[in-house]
Amino acid sequence: MSSTDAVPTELLKRPKRADALRNYEKVLTAAREAFAEGGEATALEEIARRAGVGIGTLYRNFPNRQALLEALYLGEVEQVCRSAAEFADAEPWDALNGWIGRLVAYIGTKRALAGELQNYLDQDAELFATSRESLWGAGRPLLTRAQEAGAVRRDVTIGELIQLVVGIVKIPSADPEQVDHILRVALDGLRYQA
Amino acid sequence: MSSTDAVPTELLKRPKRADALRNYEKVLTAAREAFAEGGEATALEEIARRAGVGIGTLYRNFPNRQALLEALYLGEVEQVCRSAAEFADAEPWDALNGWIGRLVAYIGTKRALAGELQNYLDQDAELFATSRESLWGAGRPLLTRAQEAGAVRRDVTIGELIQLVVGIVKIPSADPEQVDHILRVALDGLRYQA
DNA sequence: GACAAAACGGAGGGTACCTCCGTATAGTTC
DNA sequence: GAACTATACGGAGGTACCCTCCGTTTTGTC
């Protein structure tokens, strides 16, 4: 839970000041907590208060609500991507399934975040496309391996597979068992060529 | 398109005044148009302006944003339910598929509305549950018939099927062809018992 | 310790949601 | 058709939130 390297250092032209970095982290952490507790509609001023910074500081780091949500989102996606490596040694079908399980678990805890994000998608699809690419990159080897082993129909792309899973899991049904079953049915469908 | 009987007359204790009824319709129509044109985030004051009524009148008919969205939503769902009757005479699998096609088309045009609604779902699931029931009631005979004909695996419920379709179609992908393909893969999965 | 660049924080402008209540209108009764 | 009452109208204004702007403070450097 120690979050030291959570800053996307790739594009920082010059090093930030130490206090600025601290505040950036504090806002991100407060936002994570606040969205989890109080729902996706939590006021940004409340988040600034929790973080112990002024509203101006929040907005300097994240020009608008969407930017803050995206920053959270990107961090989470990165985690899922990294988890793909864990399944490199398993049987093709099991590996794919295992990683999908991770994806499902991730979406389950962050459903509110995902929902809010969908509202902003049309406005700024750029950053979202980037993260989608990395998610695809992480999952594609698993899918390809499963297809080459004959465990999955070959006309499915990794993008389709992920969207299928995301679409199902994001369903606002009260019953998680039902969602599980739907997912299982859909994944069964992957195994047979039409 | 003539909308005369769109008022849910079931629960009206005493007849509304004629002008009140007129305004109710005007607001609903304006809201439909405004949400279609300007997106789900259109201000309610803009809708009142379009309808040619005061904001107070809008709020008397629909106590809050959610109520207005729900009223629109219910009307649309009813339409999809009615369309199920059209497929009573087709082959079992084709009938089911045909109706699903309707469902897809409906969601496609109303994606924004569906998205906005999802935000409010947790707050007031009551009315939503009612409309879900009627959607299930409309689709269940088609599914049952397909199952009895051996065309669809028997462990799938109508609720699961609908949620599967909704989940997939609501995916915010830019490419409709891809969504179609995902849907086809998922529906293929329905035919085989695991 | 002095100085410039960087960052801070919160007052305040703008907008949207929703409420409240004085005014206007529909429907009824004679 | 005039008088009357219940019903409905409309928009001013309170509240909350988003975001900007700028005077003040802090950091890092020489």
Side-chain angles (χ1 to χ4, degrees):
Chain A
M1 281 296 166
S2 73
S3 53
T4 314
D5 60 347
V7 195
T9 42
E10 321 144 343
L11 291 177
L12 289 183
K13 297 186 174 182
R14 290 172 199 183
K16 269 178 150 184
R17 247 170 58 174
D19 55 345
L21 217 82
R22 260 196 321 270
N23 284 333
Y24 177 89
E25 291 295 339
K26 281 199 286 186
V27 169
L28 223 45
T29 303
R32 241 190 301 270
E33 286 174 11
F35 284 135
E37 285 177 32
E40 61 210 25
T42 307
L44 295 190
E45 257 133 0
E46 161 71 11
I47 290 171
R49 207 187 49 69
R50 271 171 178 260
V53 305
I55 185 66
T57 296
L58 187 152
Y59 273 95
R60 200 167 322 100
N61 284 293
F62 309 97
N64 51 45
R65 188 183 192 79
Q66 181 185 4
L68 177 55
L69 287 164
E70 281 178 348
L72 285 176
Y73 177 83
L74 280 183
E76 311 279 1
V77 165
E78 214 176 313
Q79 249 178 279
V80 177
C81 289
R82 270 198 295 268
S83 80
E86 296 175 31
F87 300 98
D89 299 333
E91 289 297 301
W93 173 251
D94 294 341
L96 182 61
N97 255 14
W99 186 65
I100 287 175
R102 284 294 167 83
L103 191 59
V104 169
Y106 156 68
I107 299 168
T109 59
K110 312 291 172 185
R111 192 173 316 169
L113 181 56
E116 175 87 347
L117 256 179
Q118 228 171 24
N119 290 349
Y120 291 102
L121 271 185
D122 300 330
Q123 297 171 32
D124 174 12
E126 198 170 336
L127 186 60
F128 191 74
T130 307
S131 89
R132 191 169 55 196
E133 280 305 327
S134 57
L135 202 59
W136 287 11
R140 190 175 287 115
L142 295 171
L143 173 61
T144 303
R145 203 149 62 86
Q147 283 172 327
E148 282 169 356
V152 169
R153 55 192 282 177
R154 290 176 175 271
D155 66 337
V156 178
T157 69
I158 183 63
E160 290 173 348
L161 173 57
I162 289 175
Q163 295 199 324
L164 175 65
V165 172
V166 171
I168 291 171
V169 177
K170 219 162 41 195
I171 288 167
S173 161
D175 188 357
E177 255 182 66
Q178 203 180 33
V179 171
D180 257 26
H181 189 225
I182 298 172
L183 188 62
R184 239 176 300 134
V185 168
L187 292 183
D188 278 351
L190 287 182
R191 316 191 70 151
Y192 306 88
Q193 186 77 40
Chain B
M1 281 295 166
S2 75
S3 54
T4 315
D5 61 346
V7 195
T9 43
E10 319 145 343
L11 291 176
L12 289 183
K13 298 186 174 182
R14 290 171 198 184
K16 269 176 152 183
R17 249 170 58 174
D19 54 346
L21 218 82
R22 261 197 319 271
N23 283 334
Y24 177 89
E25 292 296 339
K26 281 199 286 186
V27 169
L28 224 44
T29 303
R32 242 190 300 270
E33 287 173 12
F35 285 135
E37 284 176 33
E40 62 209 24
T42 308
L44 295 189
E45 257 132 0
E46 160 71 11
I47 290 171
R49 208 186 48 68
R50 271 170 178 259
V53 306
I55 185 67
T57 295
L58 187 152
Y59 273 95
R60 200 168 319 101
N61 283 292
F62 308 97
N64 51 45
R65 187 183 193 81
Q66 182 185 3
L68 176 55
L69 287 164
E70 281 177 349
L72 285 177
Y73 177 83
L74 279 183
E76 311 279 1
V77 165
E78 214 175 313
Q79 250 178 280
V80 177
C81 289
R82 271 198 294 270
S83 80
E86 297 175 32
F87 301 99
D89 300 331
E91 290 296 301
W93 173 252
D94 295 340
L96 183 61
N97 255 15
W99 186 65
I100 288 175
R102 284 295 168 85
L103 191 58
V104 169
Y106 157 68
I107 299 169
T109 58
K110 311 291 172 183
R111 193 173 315 169
L113 180 56
E116 174 88 346
L117 257 178
Q118 228 172 25
N119 289 349
Y120 290 102
L121 271 185
D122 301 331
Q123 296 170 34
D124 174 10
E126 200 170 334
L127 187 60
F128 191 74
T130 308
S131 89
R132 191 169 54 195
E133 280 304 326
S134 57
L135 202 59
W136 287 11
R140 190 174 289 117
L142 295 170
L143 173 62
T144 304
R145 203 149 61 85
Q147 284 171 327
E148 281 168 357
V152 169
R153 55 193 281 176
R154 289 178 175 269
D155 66 337
V156 178
T157 70
I158 183 64
E160 290 173 348
L161 173 56
I162 289 174
Q163 296 198 324
L164 175 63
V165 172
V166 172
I168 291 171
V169 176
K170 219 163 41 195
I171 288 168
S173 161
D175 187 358
E177 253 183 70
Q178 202 179 35
V179 171
D180 256 25
H181 188 225
I182 299 172
L183 188 62
R184 240 176 299 132
V185 168
L187 292 183
D188 278 350
L190 287 182
R191 317 190 71 151
Y192 305 90
Q193 185 77 42

mmCIF file of all heavy atoms in Angstrom, chain B residues 14-40:
data_model
loop_
_atom_site.group_PDB
_atom_site.id
_atom_site.type_symbol
_atom_site.label_atom_id
_atom_site.label_comp_id
_atom_site.label_asym_id
_atom_site.label_seq_id
_atom_site.Cartn_x
_atom_site.Cartn_y
_atom_site.Cartn_z
ATOM 1 N N ARG B 14 -57.270 11.126 -9.333
ATOM 2 C CA ARG B 14 -58.336 11.961 -9.918
ATOM 3 C C ARG B 14 -57.811 12.578 -11.198
ATOM 4 O O ARG B 14 -56.609 12.813 -11.323
ATOM 5 C CB ARG B 14 -58.727 13.066 -8.923
ATOM 6 C CG ARG B 14 -59.456 12.481 -7.732
ATOM 7 C CD ARG B 14 -59.662 13.505 -6.651
ATOM 8 N NE ARG B 14 -59.955 12.819 -5.394
ATOM 9 C CZ ARG B 14 -60.261 13.451 -4.262
ATOM 10 N NH1 ARG B 14 -60.312 14.773 -4.233
ATOM 11 N NH2 ARG B 14 -60.508 12.767 -3.166
ATOM 12 N N PRO B 15 -58.700 12.851 -12.130
ATOM 13 C CA PRO B 15 -58.240 13.347 -13.429
ATOM 14 C C PRO B 15 -57.483 14.661 -13.281
ATOM 15 O O PRO B 15 -57.897 15.554 -12.552
ATOM 16 C CB PRO B 15 -59.547 13.519 -14.217
ATOM 17 C CG PRO B 15 -60.626 13.561 -13.197
ATOM 18 C CD PRO B 15 -60.161 12.715 -12.070
ATOM 19 N N LYS B 16 -56.393 14.722 -14.008
ATOM 20 C CA LYS B 16 -55.604 15.963 -14.010
ATOM 21 C C LYS B 16 -56.331 17.045 -14.797
ATOM 22 O O LYS B 16 -57.163 16.753 -15.653
ATOM 23 C CB LYS B 16 -54.265 15.698 -14.699
ATOM 24 C CG LYS B 16 -53.157 15.254 -13.789
ATOM 25 C CD LYS B 16 -51.937 14.954 -14.651
ATOM 26 C CE LYS B 16 -50.625 15.167 -13.912
ATOM 27 N NZ LYS B 16 -49.456 14.931 -14.786
ATOM 28 N N ARG B 17 -55.954 18.222 -14.550
ATOM 29 C CA ARG B 17 -56.514 19.320 -15.339
ATOM 30 C C ARG B 17 -55.963 19.243 -16.752
ATOM 31 O O ARG B 17 -54.861 18.732 -16.969
ATOM 32 C CB ARG B 17 -56.127 20.650 -14.704
ATOM 33 C CG ARG B 17 -57.298 21.374 -14.098
ATOM 34 C CD ARG B 17 -56.856 22.544 -13.280
ATOM 35 N NE ARG B 17 -56.084 23.517 -14.014
ATOM 36 C CZ ARG B 17 -55.715 24.686 -13.474
ATOM 37 N NH1 ARG B 17 -56.071 24.997 -12.239
ATOM 38 N NH2 ARG B 17 -55.019 25.526 -14.167
ATOM 39 N N ALA B 18 -56.729 19.765 -17.706
ATOM 40 C CA ALA B 18 -56.336 19.620 -19.111
ATOM 41 C C ALA B 18 -54.996 20.273 -19.394
ATOM 42 O O ALA B 18 -54.130 19.694 -20.066
ATOM 43 C CB ALA B 18 -57.410 20.223 -20.018
ATOM 44 N N ASP B 19 -54.772 21.456 -18.867
ATOM 45 C CA ASP B 19 -53.505 22.138 -19.143
ATOM 46 C C ASP B 19 -52.332 21.390 -18.518
ATOM 47 O O ASP B 19 -51.244 21.331 -19.079
ATOM 48 C CB ASP B 19 -53.559 23.590 -18.663
ATOM 49 C CG ASP B 19 -53.953 23.695 -17.190
ATOM 50 O OD1 ASP B 19 -54.431 22.693 -16.634
ATOM 51 O OD2 ASP B 19 -53.778 24.768 -16.608
ATOM 52 N N ALA B 20 -52.584 20.801 -17.352
ATOM 53 C CA ALA B 20 -51.520 20.054 -16.693
ATOM 54 C C ALA B 20 -51.106 18.862 -17.544
ATOM 55 O O ALA B 20 -49.920 18.572 -17.704
ATOM 56 C CB ALA B 20 -51.990 19.583 -15.319
ATOM 57 N N LEU B 21 -52.088 18.185 -18.106
ATOM 58 C CA LEU B 21 -51.804 17.044 -18.961
ATOM 59 C C LEU B 21 -51.021 17.463 -20.192
ATOM 60 O O LEU B 21 -50.053 16.798 -20.584
ATOM 61 C CB LEU B 21 -53.123 16.399 -19.396
ATOM 62 C CG LEU B 21 -53.099 14.883 -19.458
ATOM 63 C CD1 LEU B 21 -53.307 14.300 -18.074
ATOM 64 C CD2 LEU B 21 -54.135 14.368 -20.431
ATOM 65 N N ARG B 22 -51.462 18.575 -20.781
ATOM 66 C CA ARG B 22 -50.749 19.091 -21.961
ATOM 67 C C ARG B 22 -49.291 19.354 -21.629
ATOM 68 O O ARG B 22 -48.384 18.948 -22.352
ATOM 69 C CB ARG B 22 -51.417 20.394 -22.427
ATOM 70 C CG ARG B 22 -52.362 20.247 -23.590
ATOM 71 C CD ARG B 22 -52.648 21.581 -24.248
ATOM 72 N NE ARG B 22 -52.834 22.693 -23.328
ATOM 73 C CZ ARG B 22 -54.004 23.054 -22.793
ATOM 74 N NH1 ARG B 22 -55.098 22.365 -23.073
ATOM 75 N NH2 ARG B 22 -54.089 24.087 -21.986
ATOM 76 N N ASN B 23 -49.076 20.020 -20.531
ATOM 77 C CA ASN B 23 -47.706 20.371 -20.158
ATOM 78 C C ASN B 23 -46.865 19.137 -19.849
ATOM 79 O O ASN B 23 -45.680 19.099 -20.168
ATOM 80 C CB ASN B 23 -47.718 21.310 -18.953
ATOM 81 C CG ASN B 23 -48.082 22.718 -19.360
ATOM 82 O OD1 ASN B 23 -47.857 23.113 -20.504
ATOM 83 N ND2 ASN B 23 -48.657 23.473 -18.443
ATOM 84 N N TYR B 24 -47.477 18.166 -19.227
ATOM 85 C CA TYR B 24 -46.775 16.921 -18.937
ATOM 86 C C TYR B 24 -46.225 16.326 -20.226
ATOM 87 O O TYR B 24 -45.046 15.976 -20.321
ATOM 88 C CB TYR B 24 -47.740 15.941 -18.256
ATOM 89 C CG TYR B 24 -47.173 14.581 -17.963
ATOM 90 C CD1 TYR B 24 -46.526 14.335 -16.771
ATOM 91 C CD2 TYR B 24 -47.307 13.549 -18.881
ATOM 92 C CE1 TYR B 24 -46.003 13.067 -16.496
ATOM 93 C CE2 TYR B 24 -46.795 12.289 -18.622
ATOM 94 C CZ TYR B 24 -46.150 12.059 -17.429
ATOM 95 O OH TYR B 24 -45.641 10.813 -17.160
ATOM 96 N N GLU B 25 -47.074 16.280 -21.234
ATOM 97 C CA GLU B 25 -46.649 15.749 -22.522
ATOM 98 C C GLU B 25 -45.574 16.608 -23.167
ATOM 99 O O GLU B 25 -44.607 16.096 -23.733
ATOM 100 C CB GLU B 25 -47.858 15.650 -23.474
ATOM 101 C CG GLU B 25 -48.871 14.600 -23.067
ATOM 102 C CD GLU B 25 -48.279 13.198 -23.119
ATOM 103 O OE1 GLU B 25 -47.274 12.992 -23.817
ATOM 104 O OE2 GLU B 25 -48.823 12.310 -22.438
ATOM 105 N N LYS B 26 -45.766 17.921 -23.076
ATOM 106 C CA LYS B 26 -44.796 18.817 -23.712
ATOM 107 C C LYS B 26 -43.411 18.628 -23.107
ATOM 108 O O LYS B 26 -42.399 18.620 -23.815
ATOM 109 C CB LYS B 26 -45.245 20.280 -23.553
ATOM 110 C CG LYS B 26 -46.337 20.687 -24.525
ATOM 111 C CD LYS B 26 -46.436 22.198 -24.659
ATOM 112 C CE LYS B 26 -47.079 22.835 -23.440
ATOM 113 N NZ LYS B 26 -47.321 24.284 -23.617
ATOM 114 N N VAL B 27 -43.366 18.481 -21.800
ATOM 115 C CA VAL B 27 -42.073 18.292 -21.135
ATOM 116 C C VAL B 27 -41.439 16.977 -21.574
ATOM 117 O O VAL B 27 -40.253 16.920 -21.923
ATOM 118 C CB VAL B 27 -42.234 18.314 -19.607
ATOM 119 C CG1 VAL B 27 -40.944 17.854 -18.930
ATOM 120 C CG2 VAL B 27 -42.605 19.709 -19.145
ATOM 121 N N LEU B 28 -42.228 15.927 -21.591
ATOM 122 C CA LEU B 28 -41.706 14.620 -21.968
ATOM 123 C C LEU B 28 -41.144 14.646 -23.388
ATOM 124 O O LEU B 28 -40.052 14.134 -23.658
ATOM 125 C CB LEU B 28 -42.833 13.586 -21.855
ATOM 126 C CG LEU B 28 -42.501 12.249 -21.202
ATOM 127 C CD1 LEU B 28 -41.674 12.418 -19.953
ATOM 128 C CD2 LEU B 28 -43.772 11.492 -20.896
ATOM 129 N N THR B 29 -41.896 15.262 -24.284
ATOM 130 C CA THR B 29 -41.444 15.342 -25.666
ATOM 131 C C THR B 29 -40.163 16.153 -25.782
ATOM 132 O O THR B 29 -39.200 15.745 -26.440
ATOM 133 C CB THR B 29 -42.534 15.989 -26.542
ATOM 134 O OG1 THR B 29 -43.736 15.233 -26.406
ATOM 135 C CG2 THR B 29 -42.117 16.036 -27.991
ATOM 136 N N ALA B 30 -40.157 17.304 -25.125
ATOM 137 C CA ALA B 30 -38.971 18.155 -25.171
ATOM 138 C C ALA B 30 -37.765 17.432 -24.601
ATOM 139 O O ALA B 30 -36.648 17.543 -25.115
ATOM 140 C CB ALA B 30 -39.225 19.448 -24.400
ATOM 141 N N ALA B 31 -37.990 16.666 -23.542
ATOM 142 C CA ALA B 31 -36.885 15.948 -22.912
ATOM 143 C C ALA B 31 -36.325 14.897 -23.868
ATOM 144 O O ALA B 31 -35.111 14.759 -24.011
ATOM 145 C CB ALA B 31 -37.353 15.283 -21.618
ATOM 146 N N ARG B 32 -37.219 14.168 -24.515
ATOM 147 C CA ARG B 32 -36.781 13.162 -25.485
ATOM 148 C C ARG B 32 -35.891 13.808 -26.531
ATOM 149 O O ARG B 32 -34.794 13.331 -26.824
ATOM 150 C CB ARG B 32 -38.001 12.525 -26.160
ATOM 151 C CG ARG B 32 -38.138 11.034 -25.915
ATOM 152 C CD ARG B 32 -39.213 10.428 -26.791
ATOM 153 N NE ARG B 32 -40.538 11.006 -26.585
ATOM 154 C CZ ARG B 32 -41.428 10.553 -25.702
ATOM 155 N NH1 ARG B 32 -41.112 9.537 -24.919
ATOM 156 N NH2 ARG B 32 -42.596 11.117 -25.578
ATOM 157 N N GLU B 33 -36.363 14.902 -27.097
ATOM 158 C CA GLU B 33 -35.592 15.581 -28.141
ATOM 159 C C GLU B 33 -34.264 16.098 -27.607
ATOM 160 O O GLU B 33 -33.217 15.906 -28.213
ATOM 161 C CB GLU B 33 -36.401 16.766 -28.696
ATOM 162 C CG GLU B 33 -37.562 16.356 -29.568
ATOM 163 C CD GLU B 33 -38.410 17.568 -29.940
ATOM 164 O OE1 GLU B 33 -37.945 18.720 -29.693
ATOM 165 O OE2 GLU B 33 -39.503 17.380 -30.464
ATOM 166 N N ALA B 34 -34.338 16.766 -26.473
ATOM 167 C CA ALA B 34 -33.139 17.411 -25.942
ATOM 168 C C ALA B 34 -32.068 16.387 -25.596
ATOM 169 O O ALA B 34 -30.887 16.584 -25.902
ATOM 170 C CB ALA B 34 -33.489 18.240 -24.710
ATOM 171 N N PHE B 35 -32.466 15.294 -24.991
ATOM 172 C CA PHE B 35 -31.481 14.282 -24.627
ATOM 173 C C PHE B 35 -30.885 13.654 -25.877
ATOM 174 O O PHE B 35 -29.701 13.314 -25.910
ATOM 175 C CB PHE B 35 -32.106 13.209 -23.741
ATOM 176 C CG PHE B 35 -32.328 13.669 -22.328
ATOM 177 C CD1 PHE B 35 -33.527 13.407 -21.677
ATOM 178 C CD2 PHE B 35 -31.344 14.359 -21.642
ATOM 179 C CE1 PHE B 35 -33.735 13.833 -20.368
ATOM 180 C CE2 PHE B 35 -31.544 14.784 -20.332
ATOM 181 C CZ PHE B 35 -32.744 14.519 -19.700
ATOM 182 N N ALA B 36 -31.711 13.482 -26.899
ATOM 183 C CA ALA B 36 -31.209 12.902 -28.138
ATOM 184 C C ALA B 36 -30.207 13.840 -28.801
ATOM 185 O O ALA B 36 -29.151 13.420 -29.254
ATOM 186 C CB ALA B 36 -32.373 12.617 -29.086
ATOM 187 N N GLU B 37 -30.536 15.120 -28.834
ATOM 188 C CA GLU B 37 -29.668 16.089 -29.518
ATOM 189 C C GLU B 37 -28.451 16.453 -28.700
ATOM 190 O O GLU B 37 -27.323 16.351 -29.150
ATOM 191 C CB GLU B 37 -30.446 17.375 -29.814
ATOM 192 C CG GLU B 37 -31.401 17.275 -30.983
ATOM 193 C CD GLU B 37 -32.191 18.562 -31.126
ATOM 194 O OE1 GLU B 37 -31.642 19.642 -30.821
ATOM 195 O OE2 GLU B 37 -33.379 18.492 -31.504
ATOM 196 N N GLY B 38 -28.726 16.935 -27.502
ATOM 197 C CA GLY B 38 -27.663 17.580 -26.733
ATOM 198 C C GLY B 38 -26.950 16.677 -25.746
ATOM 199 O O GLY B 38 -26.070 17.143 -25.026
ATOM 200 N N GLY B 39 -27.310 15.407 -25.704
ATOM 201 C CA GLY B 39 -26.634 14.532 -24.753
ATOM 202 C C GLY B 39 -27.361 14.469 -23.426
ATOM 203 O O GLY B 39 -28.232 15.287 -23.128
ATOM 204 N N GLU B 40 -26.941 13.508 -22.659
ATOM 205 C CA GLU B 40 -27.639 13.184 -21.422
ATOM 206 C C GLU B 40 -27.526 14.274 -20.361
ATOM 207 O O GLU B 40 -28.283 14.298 -19.401
ATOM 208 C CB GLU B 40 -27.062 11.887 -20.863
ATOM 209 C CG GLU B 40 -25.582 12.013 -20.530
ATOM 210 C CD GLU B 40 -24.853 10.682 -20.655
ATOM 211 O OE1 GLU B 40 -25.341 9.808 -21.406
ATOM 212 O OE2 GLU B 40 -23.820 10.551 -20.026
#
